[in-house]
Amino acid sequence: MTLQSGGLTIETARFQELAASVAEWATACRRHLHAYPELSYQERETSEFIAAELRKIGYQPQTGIGGFGIKVVLQGGKGPGRTIALRADIDALPIQEQTGLPFASRKEGLMHACGHDVHTAVLLGTARALRELQPELTGQVVLIFQPGEESAPGGASLMIKDGVLENPHVDAIFGLHVLPSLTVGQMGFGDGPRMAAPDEFDLTIHGKGGHGAHPYATVDAVYVACQVVNALQSVVSRNINPFDPVVLTVGSIHSGNKHNIIPGEAVLQGTVRTMSQPVREQVLRRIQEVADGVCVAHGATATLEVRTGYPVLVNSPGETALARAAAATVLGEGNITDMAPSMGAEDFAFYLQERPGSFGRLGAAAPEDRERAGLHTPRLNLDEGCIPVGVAYYLSLVQDFLRCP
Ligand code: NI
């Protein structure tokens, strides 16, 4: 693919050439990772592969951080200065691949269906290309290969606990995610809240079971559960400011096992997606209040269990502007788009609670691809042309960041 640029400077051309020079190798790494996916927190071989490749290109990776996480520190040749971190996630999903690609998953029921293989390849390519830039850099570059993005508690939180943002002290952190609805050669950025906090809840309704012919002698948990599901809709429509995005979904109801038995218990499971901490707390509190109130009205009781998910992902304005400008340098202003907010979640949010930074979108669809299968689907087919695009962006970003006073 060709990287487009507005005014092509010498520097722009250099980043593009460097990215192009590592593209074949990085793509081969991606294909290996794609063929051998591993689930969250089971990325043993993936981690060993990444560490081995890093050693081959002259790095001394620190392994076993937050599980199978890897960290690499590149010291600039012109002495110490600011520290920038770049992060890739490395885990795959329990999906049976249906792409028919020659390098399709060789593991039954497992697939890199979220593009983390591509993220890893972009960061490996960046690692290799950075060796060329190293003599002229002032400061440090930290490369983070992170396990467990797809499952709680989130590998990011584990790597942070293991000190990945210290030694050297990271000043800002950046990451990216492929987007199959965006064309290769384009990227998306946006500051402020961009991805949701996803919390899960289990709501158990305790009634009193009995014979289906004698409901007056029972507290019917099925009936109460239905009232609760209806009443929960009022939380979003009647309690929350319409300018605050919220999703409240009840995804499962389990109760009873026979036509003529009234069950004494029902269990509802659901997800809550919010874009700010105060709204998050308000919604979770209202779920409890509504459930309690409806249950009291019917002589039942409710027990609510909440599993808190990742934080809201909030991109800091200064770092987002820097990232956007670095991408425009190598892609051209016309190829930079706004990153639409999403009710999806991303554990990169943990890093952004600790440090300023920005998480962007990397276009990964071939222009001729009409299907554009989505993330987390068995036919996801990302265009590998996005790998050198991501590398060129990171090179540009590293240089711009380390140059800043
Ligand atoms: Ni993902």
Side-chain angles (χ1 to χ4, degrees), residues 127-385:
R128 186 160 183 169
L130 275 174
R131 300 218 65 93
E132 300 292 320
L133 289 184
Q134 188 264 348
E136 58 205 82
L137 295 177
T138 304
Q140 299 74 234
V141 185
V142 173
L143 307 178
I144 298 171
F145 297 87
Q146 180 217 296
E149 195 288 316
E150 297 284 359
S151 291
S157 68
L158 302 179
M159 290 193 79
I160 292 168
K161 265 189 205 140
D162 266 4
V164 76
L165 297 178
E166 298 296 340
N167 295 316
H169 180 87
V170 168
D171 292 304
I173 184 163
F174 298 84
L176 52 76
H177 205 295
V178 290
L179 189 61
S181 57
L182 193 64
T183 304
V184 167
Q186 301 189 322
M187 291 192 71
F189 298 92
D191 59 21
R194 290 288 131 177
M195 297 185 75
D199 298 321
E200 292 177 348
F201 66 86
D202 285 54
L203 180 64
T204 306
I205 290 158
H206 310 278
K208 178 169 174 272
H211 198 297
H214 310 299
Y216 47 87
T218 73
V219 176
D220 183 349
V222 168
Y223 175 76
V224 178
C226 293
Q227 303 302 314
V228 169
V229 172
N230 279 334
L232 285 177
Q233 304 310 309
S234 73
V235 174
V236 176
S237 69
R238 290 297 175 268
N239 298 144
I240 304 295
N241 185 320
F243 293 99
D244 288 322
V246 178
V247 169
L248 198 176
T249 295
V250 176
S252 109
I253 304 183
H254 284 276
S255 183
N257 53 19
K258 198 172 181 334
H259 309 70
N260 58 357
I261 302 173
I262 290 176
E265 195 174 280
V267 179
L268 314 182
Q269 293 184 313
T271 183
V272 175
R273 308 262 166 156
T274 49
M275 293 296 246
S276 84
Q277 189 61 24
V279 172
R280 181 184 204 180
E281 288 164 13
Q282 187 186 2
V283 173
L284 294 175
R285 192 178 65 245
R286 285 298 293 152
I287 291 174
Q288 180 79 65
E289 290 170 356
V290 167
D292 285 345
V294 171
C295 284
V296 165
H298 295 91
T301 57
T303 318
L304 180 66
E305 268 177 65
V306 175
R307 272 184 304 282
T308 314
Y310 303 157
V312 181
L313 183 139
V314 185
N315 283 333
S316 36
E319 284 66 23
T320 301
L322 187 83
R324 179 185 274 268
T329 299
V330 286
L331 304 178
E333 194 62 52
N335 285 313
I336 309 303
T337 65
D338 286 325
M339 173 178 172
S342 160
M343 279 296 176
E346 163 65 54
D347 81 345
F348 194 83
F350 283 114
Y351 300 112
L352 294 175
Q353 284 190 323
E354 305 291 323
R355 297 290 191 277
S358 195
F359 189 73
R361 298 289 191 199
L362 179 68
E368 68 279 6
D369 177 5
R370 286 171 184 274
E371 181 180 348
R372 300 204 168 183
L375 299 172
H376 293 215
T377 68
R379 293 172 62 79
L380 176 73
N381 186 5
L382 300 169
D383 189 295
E384 292 171 328

Side-chain angles (χ1 to χ4, degrees), residues 47-65 69-73 124 131 143 145:
S47 183
E48 285 171 2
F49 173 80
I50 294 165
E53 293 302 314
L54 287 166
R55 285 188 197 100
K56 278 186 214 165
I57 56 174
Y59 285 99
Q60 289 153 350
Q62 302 167 39
T63 59
I65 304 173
I70 295 173
K71 170 181 170 179
V72 160
V73 180
L124 282 169
R131 300 218 65 93
L143 307 178
F145 297 87

